[in-house]
Amino acid sequence: MKSKIVIAYCTFPSKDVAESICRQLVSDGTIACANVFQPHTAIYAWNGAIQAEAECAAILKLNARKQTTLKEKIRATHPYAVPALVFLTVNDGLPEFVNWVYAQRPYAPF
């Protein structure tokens, strides 16, 4: 049986940018929640040189049906030319949590 939810891993240039984009994604119902991690150092090859930059990572939990929407929104809002966004399949979890993630809708304040 195919999983109802997925985990996405995405990196951002700063905690402020990560939090801003993640808040919007929760607000519009694209993701159920995000865990934004403190800055770390990313070491990578880019434009023919080894780079080392501070960045933040976030783990995003979402309904598996919203993967395409998340890709589109990250492309549209992310400041990187090539945002790091990958998806991991969730094979199991507490049913209550899996069902909560799956059922999230756009946030409507009371």
Side-chain angles (χ1 to χ4, degrees):
M1 180 173 128
K2 188 167 178 166
S3 176
K4 297 195 305 187
I5 67 169
V6 294
I7 301 293
Y9 173 84
C10 189
T11 58
F12 300 89
S14 70
K15 186 177 179 199
D16 289 342
V17 170
E19 288 181 357
S20 175
I21 291 173
C22 290
R23 281 183 185 277
Q24 183 58 46
L25 293 169
V26 169
S27 180
D28 68 21
T30 303
I31 65 173
C33 61
N35 300 105
V36 177
F37 296 94
Q38 292 298 322
H40 60 266
T41 302
I43 301 170
Y44 57 96
W46 188 256
N47 292 329
I50 300 297
Q51 308 289 327
E53 301 286 337
E55 67 179 8
C56 287
I59 295 176
L60 317 172
K61 296 109 179 177
L62 62 147
N63 179 327
R65 294 179 183 170
K66 296 180 181 180
Q67 282 181 255
T68 299
T69 300
L70 179 58
K71 287 180 193 177
E72 292 167 358
K73 290 187 178 192
I74 290 294
R75 281 188 187 115
T77 61
H78 203 289
Y80 287 169
V82 181
L85 176 66
V86 295
F87 295 93
L88 306 165
T89 301
V90 174
N91 293 320
D92 197 6
L94 289 175
E96 300 86 353
F97 180 74
V98 171
N99 290 333
W100 175 80
V101 169
Y102 184 77
Q104 291 307 296
R105 305 282 184 250
Y107 175 72
F110 296 91

